[in-house]
Amino acid sequence: MVKDDMENRTGKTYVEFKAVKYRSQVVAGENYLTKVHMGGSSYLHLKVFQYLSCNGGKISKCDVQEDHRKEDPLVSF
């Protein structure tokens, strides 16, 4: 759901874009912290917020960190 937005934000095109790990936190919606494999040894960490379904369930892209590796811990940023 967020691949196009991340490509626009980073200025890169990803052949592979597969979530391999995530954590979530329920607030006035749900925060997701996700590790995304982009092929080879390249990973992104994404922070995404999704509004509650009673508020439309819209996804809001919050932040991205590039240049991560598979073994990097998935921590909040």
Side-chain angles (χ1 to χ4, degrees), residues 23 40 52:
R23 295 182 357 194
L52 295 171

Side-chain angles (χ1 to χ4, degrees), residues 8-74:
N8 289 333
R9 290 183 81 173
T10 62
K12 298 177 182 174
T13 301
Y14 303 118
V15 175
E16 185 174 341
F17 196 85
K18 180 180 180 182
V20 294
K21 186 175 185 177
Y22 80 95
R23 295 182 357 194
S24 63
Q25 175 188 25
V26 177
V27 288
E30 197 155 5
N31 287 316
Y32 293 96
L33 187 57
T34 309
K35 181 181 288 194
V36 178
H37 184 229
M38 298 153 350
S41 61
S42 299
Y43 289 80
L44 290 176
H45 287 186
L46 306 179
K47 185 168 43 173
V48 177
F49 177 77
Q50 183 174 22
Y51 292 94
L52 295 171
S53 58
C54 63
N55 293 326
K58 179 183 173 191
I59 292 179
S60 172
K61 290 79 170 183
C62 296
D63 210 355
V64 60
Q65 287 184 334
E66 298 182 78
D67 303 321
H68 279 281
R69 298 170 301 185
K70 181 178 183 176
E71 60 273 358
D72 289 347
L74 189 56

